[in-house]
Amino acid sequence: MTSLLKILSDNLRPHLILTNKIKEEKRAMAESSPKQSDARRKSVNKPLTTLSSSSGPLSEELQCSICLDVFTDPVSTPCGHNFCKSCLNQCWNNIQIYSCPLCKETFKRRPNLKINTALREVVLLFKGNSGQSKSEVLCDICDDIKMKALKMCLECQISYCQTHLEPHQRVPKLKKHKLIDPVEKLEDYICQKHEKPLELFCRDDQTCVCLLCAVTDHKTHNTVSVEEESRERKSQLMKIQTDMQQMIQDRMKRIQDLKCSAKLRKEVLKKEKAESIELFTDLIRSIERCQSELLEMMEQKQKAAEKQAEELIKALEQEITELKRRDTELEQLSHTEDHLHLLQIYPSLSRPAHTSSCSEISLSDTHVSVETLMRFLTQLKETLDEKLSKTVSTELKMMQRYAVDVTLDPDTASPYLILSDDGKQVACGDIELKLKNNPKRFDTCPCVLAKEGFSSGRFYFEVQVKRKTDWDLGVARESINRKGMIIAVPEDGYWAVALRDENQYEAYESPSVFLSLRVNPQVVGVFVDYEEGLVSFYDVESRSHIYSFTGQTFTEKLFPIFSPYNNKKGENAAPLIISHQIK
């Protein structure tokens, strides 16, 4: 755009001297004319002064030398000079000889004026940059040079410049007329039926009416002045604007939370990935070590078995040789006639020869190998449990960074519940308290909500459940049913876990999921990630995971919910205690 303006400036600069000369001539004519007052002369000079001071030297080259204002629909004469189309037409109306108002060159016939589109685009760009893009309303009374209208009279339905407005500021009758700032479409402010100003507003029909309409078609309607209605609407708009700004701030905060959440999630995922790689690397190393030790032990067992077999074979071969020798002797003695010799050696030959039995070979090697394998598997399980425990501990520490201060809301507490003064403890009593009927209150189930609700981000809180035989913990959405018996499932806005009869744990899914825990939790941590749709429960002291609701969709505020359950004749009298400080 800068280069385009420079080209235009270079092309128009030769005409600048003539333009200024015409301006001086017109000022002189205005001062000498009896029709021009001092106010009129000031009005004539004002556009040029304002334009030049606010828009720079280039603005003068974009002025019409007739109206002394920035071009409106610029047209070019055959001699090359530019004027506003309406200004040039007014100059040429009711005359016989057509000449250029600037250089006085005459034309044989009236030129066919066409808008200079290139110059118009430059003018529009200039007006847009200098804040003059809004079209101006001209005075309806001015004859020669149309001046800018200062006010518009709804009674007269005429626009007036500063000079021609003077009677409306002086004559008593005219002073009663309703004046408004100049507008392009005056018909929007005039009753089309009675041609009277639209001074009233009909609240029944929600439309502007004139005084005649108010006493005819809208006689029985509630009508007020447009000023009064406008003030009320402005007040409403201010409230809407305030709400809109709050919505903008809320959404900006939501965006910031989402960005922080995404950044943190990326960091956590990176850390979890590194920990997982480390975990499985350690497991692989342990397996490889166990495999190596097992193979080495099996090889040693194999060598020992082979050695034992060789020794046994050698002994058996020796026994076979001895048996064969004795068999030969027996064969010889069976045919001998030396009876005395036979009787002498019979005792030694009749004793059974010492031999080994094949049943002495032990099968204990296989048994030892299985025991070794089981031992290695046990070591692997212990290693895995240790690594998982460390991972859960790390997750819990991360979640504890989102710890919030939670306080019980007495307006929601069941009449059977007893709340501490600081709002951190709740127990179930035996007597129903007389409380005001409150739509927020649980009337049957022994439940209470926290005062604090959350509609974005992450939050975490811990609850002590020591010496309890029964309890319920979790979060619930704001619109849950609080009257009568309640089915606490996600479909109805509840995400909770519970203890029943000292050791029966369950998650309130549809259907319920029964949980097997190694130890009974003494402190339960509850973590919620609103955007991720996650609600997780942890045993804080053993640093172990209890249960998680995943893939949920939250659209309302979520409030922590607590139920110490029934007193059970004192067996379950211990309170639920919200931790003041997270470890």
Side-chain angles (χ1 to χ4, degrees):
M1 185 189 76
T2 303
S3 59
L4 184 58
L5 292 177
K6 184 177 185 307
I7 294 172
L8 181 64
S9 176
D10 294 339
N11 291 334
L12 293 180
R13 194 169 298 280
H15 307 296
L16 183 58
I17 298 176
L18 285 175
T19 301
N20 291 333
K21 183 178 179 181
I22 293 297
K23 292 177 185 176
E24 294 299 329
E25 291 177 356
K26 287 192 172 289
R27 290 194 185 98
M29 291 174 61
E31 292 175 356
S32 62
S33 174
K35 295 183 180 180
Q36 297 287 347
S37 63
D38 291 339
R40 172 81 173 195
R41 287 196 298 272
K42 292 178 181 178
S43 176
V44 170
N45 293 333
K46 184 176 180 182
L48 179 60
T49 303
T50 304
L51 190 60
S52 299
S53 62
S54 63
S55 307
L58 182 60
S59 63
E60 296 185 356
E61 300 179 14
L62 298 179
Q63 292 178 28
C64 172
S65 58
I66 299 176
C67 67
L68 304 182
D69 207 345
V70 178
F71 289 123
T72 301
D73 292 335
V75 294
S76 300
T77 59
C79 60
H81 296 130
N82 300 297
F83 307 91
C84 296
K85 185 176 181 180
S86 60
C87 294
L88 191 55
N89 281 331
Q90 287 182 13
C91 290
W92 285 352
N93 286 342
N94 302 319
I95 61 175
Q96 299 298 324
I97 299 176
Y98 306 104
S99 62
C100 173
L102 191 60
C103 67
K104 305 304 180 181
E105 179 180 343
T106 59
F107 313 112
K108 293 182 180 180
R109 56 183 180 180
R110 183 168 179 165
N112 183 20
L113 300 177
K114 294 184 178 180
I115 295 176
N116 187 332
T117 55
L119 180 57
R120 182 175 62 179
E121 292 299 323
V122 175
V123 171
L124 291 176
L125 287 172
F126 173 79
K127 286 183 176 181
N129 288 336
S130 60
Q132 303 180 36
S133 57
K134 184 178 180 180
S135 60
E136 296 180 347
V137 178
L138 303 179
C139 177
D140 292 328
I141 307 300
C142 293
D143 293 329
D144 299 330
I145 300 175
K146 291 288 186 180
M147 305 305 297
K148 179 180 177 181
L150 183 64
K151 289 290 182 180
M152 186 171 284
C153 177
L154 293 181
E155 296 287 343
C156 304
Q157 300 186 26
I158 295 176
S159 58
Y160 298 99
C161 65
Q162 183 175 354
T163 301
H164 293 114
L165 182 64
E166 188 269 340
H168 277 75
Q169 298 172 335
R170 176 175 48 84
V171 179
K173 185 176 181 180
L174 295 178
K175 289 173 69 175
K176 297 180 180 179
H177 288 190
K178 188 174 183 63
L179 300 177
I180 64 171
D181 292 334
V183 294
E184 291 187 19
K185 295 183 178 181
L186 181 60
E187 60 270 17
D188 292 342
Y189 296 79
I190 303 297
C191 175
Q192 299 302 310
K193 183 176 181 180
H194 302 108
E195 297 186 355
K196 295 290 183 181
L198 298 172
E199 301 180 77
L200 301 174
F201 182 81
C202 176
R203 289 179 171 173
D204 293 344
D205 294 339
Q206 293 292 299
T207 185
C208 294
V209 297
C210 69
L211 291 174
L212 290 178
C213 290
V215 297
T216 55
D217 299 340
H218 302 264
K219 183 177 181 180
T220 60
H221 293 181
N222 179 18
T223 57
V224 295
S225 67
V226 291
E227 291 82 1
E228 180 181 348
E229 184 67 19
S230 177
R231 285 194 297 271
E232 186 171 335
R233 294 292 177 91
K234 284 182 180 179
S235 176
Q236 295 174 358
L237 289 175
M238 289 180 63
K239 184 179 182 304
I240 294 174
Q241 184 182 17
T242 301
D243 295 341
M244 194 72 67
Q245 291 174 350
Q246 184 61 45
M247 292 171 65
I248 292 172
Q249 292 178 2
D250 291 344
R251 279 150 179 76
M252 291 178 66
K253 182 178 181 301
R254 180 74 178 276
I255 290 173
Q256 189 65 27
D257 290 343
L258 288 173
K259 287 182 178 179
C260 293
S261 178
K263 182 179 179 181
L264 182 60
R265 192 181 302 114
K266 184 178 180 180
E267 293 175 355
V268 171
L269 183 61
K270 183 179 180 181
K271 187 175 182 181
E272 290 178 349
K273 182 178 179 181
E275 290 176 348
S276 298
I277 292 175
E278 181 183 0
L279 171 62
F280 285 104
T281 301
D282 290 345
L283 289 175
I284 291 172
R285 288 174 181 170
S286 298
I287 292 173
E288 289 176 346
R289 184 178 66 254
C290 293
Q291 182 184 27
S292 176
E293 292 177 0
L294 182 61
L295 291 175
E296 183 179 356
M297 183 174 291
M298 292 177 67
E299 185 175 353
Q300 292 175 355
K301 295 292 183 181
Q302 177 67 24
K303 289 180 178 179
E306 290 178 355
K307 183 177 180 180
Q308 182 182 9
E310 289 177 357
E311 292 176 352
L312 184 58
I313 291 173
K314 184 176 181 180
L316 290 175
E317 288 177 345
Q318 291 176 354
E319 290 178 0
I320 291 172
T321 301
E322 179 63 20
L323 289 173
K324 285 182 177 180
R325 183 186 64 77
R326 296 185 67 177
D327 181 65
T328 302
E329 289 181 0
L330 290 174
E331 177 66 24
Q332 293 174 354
L333 289 174
S334 63
H335 300 287
T336 185
E337 295 296 333
D338 188 351
H339 303 290
L340 181 59
H341 178 67
L342 175 63
L343 293 175
Q344 290 175 346
I345 65 173
Y346 177 81
S348 61
L349 292 177
S350 62
R351 288 194 299 268
H354 176 72
T355 58
S356 299
S357 173
C358 293
S359 61
E360 294 178 6
I361 300 176
S362 175
L363 301 178
S364 60
D365 293 344
T366 305
H367 177 67
V368 172
S369 298
V370 172
E371 285 183 350
T372 303
L373 182 60
M374 291 300 296
R375 177 168 57 84
F376 289 153
L377 290 176
T378 301
Q379 291 177 356
L380 283 176
K381 185 177 183 301
E382 291 175 353
T383 302
L384 181 60
D385 289 342
E386 181 182 358
K387 291 291 184 180
L388 291 177
S389 178
K390 289 182 179 179
T391 301
V392 173
S393 180
T394 302
E395 290 180 357
L396 191 55
K397 287 182 180 178
M398 182 275 293
M399 294 172 184
Q400 287 174 337
R401 293 164 55 186
Y402 296 94
V404 294
D405 186 19
V406 175
T407 308
L408 300 173
D409 184 0
D411 291 338
T412 66
S414 164
Y416 290 94
L417 297 184
I418 302 172
L419 275 60
S420 62
D421 293 338
D422 62 358
K424 297 295 183 179
Q425 300 186 30
V426 57
C428 188
D430 296 322
I431 302 174
E432 181 180 4
L433 302 176
K434 301 299 182 182
L435 302 175
K436 292 182 179 179
N437 185 19
N438 187 336
K440 295 169 58 178
R441 190 182 307 283
F442 292 91
D443 61 353
T444 302
C445 293
C447 298
V448 60
L449 296 178
K451 291 181 180 179
E452 298 76 19
F454 305 88
S455 57
S456 64
R458 301 174 175 182
F459 62 95
Y460 173 87
F461 60 95
E462 293 179 355
V463 183
Q464 180 179 307
V465 294
K466 289 181 179 180
R467 302 187 306 277
K468 297 287 294 177
T469 63
D470 301 81
W471 50 258
D472 299 70
L473 285 177
V475 294
R477 64 183 179 218
E478 189 172 16
S479 64
I480 55 172
N481 173 40
R482 310 180 189 196
K483 307 301 180 183
M485 298 304 298
I486 295 173
I487 300 177
V489 292
E491 290 80 0
D492 293 335
Y494 292 86
W495 294 268
V497 296
L499 168 65
R500 292 291 180 267
D501 300 328
E502 296 190 46
N503 56 13
Q504 296 180 12
Y505 294 91
E506 62 178 304
Y508 286 146
E509 291 273 16
S510 296
S512 293
V513 176
F514 292 95
L515 309 174
S516 177
L517 305 183
R518 291 182 298 175
V519 294
N520 290 348
Q522 301 300 301
V523 179
V524 176
V526 183
F527 173 77
V528 177
D529 188 328
Y530 194 96
E531 282 73 27
E532 287 293 325
L534 173 68
V535 181
S536 294
F537 300 83
Y538 292 86
D539 181 341
V540 177
E541 293 188 353
S542 68
R543 319 297 280 183
S544 59
H545 176 252
I546 296 176
Y547 189 77
S548 288
F549 294 88
T550 60
Q552 307 299 307
T553 300
F554 304 132
T555 58
E556 302 177 23
K557 272 190 176 182
L558 296 180
F559 290 82
I561 185 171
F562 311 85
S563 174
Y565 204 66
N566 298 330
N567 185 280
K568 301 180 73 172
K569 297 181 179 181
E571 293 182 7
N572 190 39
L576 293 175
I577 303 176
I578 301 172
S579 299
H580 286 76
Q581 294 181 345
I582 306 301
K583 296 180 180 180

